[in-house]
Every structure is written in C-alpha cells, then in structure tokens.
Amino acid sequence: MPPPPKLPFPELLRQFVRPYVRLLSYLKPYRKRFITGLGFGIAAGMLSGVVPLVIKTVGDKVLPGGMGRAALMDAAHQTSGPGIGPVLWITMLIPAVMVARGLCSYVNTYCMAWVSFRILRDLRTQLFGHLISQSLDFFNRAKAGRLISRVVNDTRMAQNAMTSISGDLVKNPIAVLTGAVVLISMDWKFSLTTLVLFPICIVPVIVFGRKVRKAGKAEENEAGTMSVILQESFSGIRVVKAFAREGYQTEQFAKSSDEQCRNSMRVRKSIDIVQPLIESVSAFGVVLAILYVYLFDISVAKFVALCAGIFLLYEPVKALSRIPMLMQKCMASAEAIFELLATVPTVRDAEAAPALTGSRGAIRFDQVSFSYVEDQHAVRDFTLEIPAGQQFALVGASGAGKSTILSLLLRFYDPQQGVIAIDGSPIQSVTQASLRSQIGIVSQETFLFHDTIATNIRYGRLNATDEEVEAAARMAYAHDFIMAQPDGYNTIVGDKGCMLSGGQQQRLSIARALLKNAPILLLDEATSALDSESEKMIQAALERLAQGRTVIAIAHRLSTILKSDAIVVMEHGRMLDCGRHADLLPRSEVYRRLYELQFAHPELA
Ligand code: ADP
C-alpha cells in the first residue's frame, strides 16, 4: 500500500478540529442549559480553588501556632486562643464553602448530562432517519448488525465521553487555575516546591492517550461484529436450528466476545495506568512538602491550608488528565457516525419534484438497461407498454431479471439507461414516496412485524379505521382465521409472523395491499406450493385484489398466465417475446419449455 500523502499542517489541524466543531453544532438548541451548566462549573471550580484560603483564614484565627524546627524548639510557647463558641462559628465557614462547591458541581454535572443526553437522542434519530432513507444498494452492501451497532453503541460512546468532557472541561481548569493562584499567593516557595512535579504527569497522558484511541476504534469495530452475529443468529434462527449450528454460532459469538474483552482491557489499561502514575508522582510531592516544613518554619493554619489546597488540586488535575483520552474515544465514535451521515442515497428525488397522485396505472418501460455490478446486465434494452388496468405476467428462468423489473418500477434502483414512466411522466421526475404510494406489493416473502394482526394489516394505510382493517381482512379471506386466533385482531403474530402458516401470512399481506388500495399491483407469486385449500383462498383473494388495477406478476401459477392480458418471456435480462398464452405456445420455444417445466406440471416444479 502506498504511504498516505503528507498533508500540510493547517489542513491536518482542520481535519482534527472538524469533528469537534461538528459535534458542537448539535449543542445549539440547548445552549441556554449548556451555558447555565458552564456558569455553575466555573463557580464550582473557583470555590474549589478558594477552599485553602478559607481554611487558612479560619486557621489563623483558631490555631495561630507555628510548625517546623523553629516551632518545635519553642515547644513551651503557648497562646490562649478564642473561646469555643466563636471558634465553632468561624469553622463553619469551611463546610459552608464545601457545600456551596458541591451544589454548584451537582448543577454543573446535571446540566451537562441533560444536554449530552439530548445530543445523543438527536444524533441517534438523525442517524436512523439518514440510514433508513438510503437506497437499497446501500443495504445490499451494509451489514444490518453493524448499522444497529453504529446507531446504538457509537452514539452512546460519543455521548458518554461528551458527558464527562463537558462536565470536566470548564470546572476543572478553573479549579486548577484558581487553586494554583491561591496556593502561590499564600506561599509561593512551598507551592512551587510541591507542585514542581505536576508537569511530569502530562507525559503518560499523551503516551497512553494514543493507545486509547487505537484500542477504542478496535473496541467499536468488534462491538459491530458482535452485533452482526447477534442479529444474524436471531433472525436466522430457523436455519441455525435446522443445521444444528447452535454450537458454531456460540463459538463465533464467544470469539467476538473474547476479542471485545481484550480490546476493552487495552482501553482500560491505558486509561487506568495514568492515575497511579500521577499518584506516585504526588507521593514525591508529599516528601518535598514535609522536607520544606522541616526546614522552614510555617504556621499550622498555613500548613493545613496548603495541604488541603494541594489535595483539592489533585482531583481536577486527575480529571483533566483523563480528558484527552476521552476526547480520543469520543472522536473515534463521532468520526464513524459522521462518515455514515455523509453517505448520499444513490436514488434521490429531483429538486422540487411533484407528487404522483391519482395515477391511472399506465406503465411504460422504454429501452431500459440496468446492472447491479458494472458490465453485468440484469436487465437489457427492455421496452414494454402496459395499458392501465391490464394484467401482465413475467415469466423466465431464475435470474432472468423479473424481480429487477419490479425493483426498477418501484425505483429501488435507477436504470443506467432508458426511461420508466407512469401515465406518461418519468418516475424519476416525481417523489419516491408518492410513486410508491401508487404501487401495492404482494411478494412471496411476506414480512410481518412482531406486533398484532391489526397493526400488521394497518401498515398498508396507517390511518385506516378498525372497520376498514376488518373489511380488508374479509376481502382477503383472512377474517375467519383471524377470529379463530386467541385474541382475534389483537393476536401478536410472533417474530416475522412465525405463529401463522405461510398461507395465512400471504393473506395478511394481501389484506395489507387491499387496504393500501393502490392503482398498480406488483405480485411476486410464491414458488412453493401451498395446500390446495390455502391455495384456493389466496387465489380468490388475489383475484379480488387485482380487480381494476394494473398488475405485473412474476408468475408461477398456471391460472395467472392463463388469464393474463400478456405474458412477457424473459431470458438473461432481455424480453424474448410478449403475447397471450395461446399465441406464445406455438411460436416461442423458450416459453414452451418454461411452460412445460413450470406450469403444465406444477407438481414437478
Ligand atoms: P429473477 O427475478 O428473474 O430470478 P433477478 O432480477 O433477481 O432475476 O436477477 C437478475 C440478475 O441480477 C441475476 O443475475 C442476479 O444474480 C442479479 N442480481 C439480483 N439482485 C442482485 C443484487 N442485489 N446485487 C447484485 N446482483 C443482483
């Protein structure tokens, strides 16, 4: 692989800053709450910094004695302090400041969490909306599990890091700054002696920060892989069971889980090593402090105040040291999210495209060519005119391009050449949603949601009343079997409708299409034969559904081809012939062969 091109520094900086700026743009609607949080963070930081000052003021009043060698030698020296009453009052200043600091800190974290959870919500919703509006070719390439992981895990990781960062970013630098200024102004020599080691702490932060980013990326990738295994195992559970591959799937999962564990450990190791390193450095600071006190005389109040000050500095420094690592983690997730958000659907509505409404259902394919993969035509030079209200059947061997024709009419893909028009207007000139609202589909793979029967039928028209749902079910010969279910229309159909038979699922999908009541109907007939009772009912339901509509059927039933106004014979993406059954049979060899194989003896198909 060639080495990546070297970028000039300003461009590198821009690339580094861009995701941060982008993430910040999500703050906009919540800026009031964010600024309130910042305000309380600043207050908490400043209060934290002035604690030693308060301790010293109180100490000076209550414990005016000295410490160190000089003071020890003068051990006999005694001073009588103020009475216990005023002492109690004055010492109360210390908890008062600490309580105020705690309150400000709480409001700060509350506001920041409030804001970052809302950013998470917005980002997730935007990401989902963006993904679901991608064209089908995107989903052909993407793994569903990985997409789920992006929407669930990556957004959460970005948000987690953001919560910590936004809570720490203002409060802690202020606490460190005010704390350092107060300490230095109190006794700069003591402070410098004890703080001289602090800058050393930056080294592990930088070194381990890099490791966190790398391991964090690997951690997320593996989370995606795990999600893929989960999603595929559960949605493909029938195949898993049928092949008795529970052990194999578990092994795959265990492998991913193991890798996940190793990556998480790498991240944790790098994050957690920093704190003990800082603590060890601070221990040397304690040595220096004691030596200083031993050598130079210092008052008790000052000593306690300085120690408290240094102790209070420790927490914000520790939190600040975590920030670069959290930022690295946050950015690893944010970059992955923004990369997905940058993908543009290949099929897009034309600008200011009008809606297609009340279509008659006249369809025209004009020299349409389409390939999924470059130079491998799935449909080639396809020209066909279907007058409104007519029923056409597509026949051809598997892979001849029949399903592709339906996908092209639905505009799941745009053809590389040619035009498809409905009522004379090219489908690319109207909105996709309105185009699809004019087309009903009953396909051999019915997809039912894990929900009630009524909700599944209503998917055809969301605002349909209960009466309309029932009427559609009656027309689709589904009402009787629905009423025989334990909860009637409110029976849950199970995952992908697994509680219902294939024939029952088909009738629900016909009811769905009836409710949609679109002028064009696409039928992908089931290849597998159902029992004759089911078959008859489906047949009758489909006939009702087809009435008065333009129909394109991928035909597998003899009855369909016999009653079709025209049969389109396809081979290798081309139309070989088109005509009625009686005309085609004597003139088309391909049709005759297909007919013999698929239709004349369906039990052999
Ligand atoms: P039919 O419905 O007649 O069985 P299809 O329209 O499904 O045929 O397929 C036509 C051709 O396009 C086949 O060669 C098939 O392999 C190819 N094909 C179908 N779907 C895809 C896809 N999503 N990606 C790549 N090639 C595809």
Side-chain angles (χ1 to χ4, degrees), residues 192 194-205 281 317:
L192 286 187
T194 47
L195 295 180
V196 72
L197 298 173
F198 261 21
I200 299 177
C201 302
I202 296 174
V203 178
V205 170
V281 173
V317 167

Side-chain angles (χ1 to χ4, degrees), residues 323-589:
I323 284 189
M325 313 213 190
L326 286 171
M327 277 189 164
Q328 305 275 16
K329 266 195 101 170
C330 180
M331 278 311 118
S333 308
E335 274 165 11
I337 294 167
F338 294 147
E339 203 180 296
L340 266 188
L341 282 177
T343 47
V344 185
T346 45
V347 177
R348 287 187 298 271
D349 285 348
E351 209 157 305
L356 176 68
T357 47
S359 126
R360 288 183 297 112
I363 302 167
R364 184 166 51 82
F365 286 83
D366 199 357
Q367 302 220 304
V368 172
S369 291
F370 172 74
S371 47
Y372 293 97
V373 188
E374 224 172 307
D375 294 334
Q376 288 180 23
H377 280 94
V379 167
R380 204 190 292 242
D381 273 339
F382 188 84
T383 300
L384 179 69
E385 180 108 30
I386 306 178
Q390 293 223 348
Q391 305 198 4
F392 273 49
L394 303 180
V395 298
S398 165
K402 305 180 292 291
S403 317
T404 308
I405 293 287
L406 303 194
S407 296
L408 288 173
L409 183 61
L410 284 160
R411 222 184 148 209
F412 286 161
Y413 308 95
D414 277 337
Q416 280 91 8
Q417 269 172 34
V419 177
I420 304 169
I422 293 183
D423 296 344
S425 34
I427 58 172
Q428 297 198 12
S429 67
V430 295
T431 62
Q432 293 170 67
S434 69
L435 165 72
R436 290 169 197 156
S437 75
Q438 302 295 307
I439 303 174
I441 311 166
V442 177
S443 78
Q444 52 175 316
E445 318 154 20
T446 30
F447 186 94
L448 297 178
F449 293 93
H450 193 132
D451 210 323
T452 63
I453 289 178
T455 312
N456 267 297
I457 298 178
R458 199 172 273 122
Y459 207 73
R461 180 151 50 87
L462 295 178
N463 61 2
T465 61
D466 287 347
E467 290 71 36
E468 286 171 322
V469 168
E470 191 183 315
R474 278 183 192 279
M475 278 184 74
Y477 295 95
H479 180 73
D480 291 342
F481 90 77
I482 293 172
M483 291 318 283
Q485 300 293 316
D487 293 319
Y489 280 84
N490 292 323
T491 309
I492 304 275
V493 298
D495 220 18
K496 292 191 223 148
C498 61
M499 320 276 218
L500 302 174
S501 75
Q504 290 171 336
Q505 292 182 27
Q506 280 269 331
R507 277 179 275 162
L508 286 193
S509 85
I510 294 172
R512 209 187 243 175
L514 276 163
L515 203 56
K516 186 169 179 182
N517 197 20
I520 298 170
L521 174 67
L522 305 185
L523 269 182
D524 184 2
E525 291 180 347
T527 38
S528 53
L530 294 162
D531 61 277
S532 56
E533 185 61 28
S534 256
E535 185 68 48
K536 251 188 256 158
M537 272 198 272
I538 288 174
Q539 197 81 357
L542 281 175
E543 261 160 41
R544 279 184 175 170
L545 177 59
Q547 256 164 34
R549 299 178 212 274
T550 312
V551 180
I552 306 181
I554 296 180
H556 292 289
R557 291 195 184 93
L558 181 64
S559 57
T560 309
I561 55 163
L562 292 183
K563 68 170 190 284
S564 286
D565 295 305
I567 302 161
V568 178
V569 186
M570 294 189 67
E571 195 177 57
H572 304 310
R574 288 179 191 279
M575 177 165 43
L576 289 187
D577 210 336
C578 180
R580 282 182 163 274
H581 172 70
D583 304 327
L584 285 176
L585 210 50
R587 78 169 181 233
S588 165
E589 168 133 9

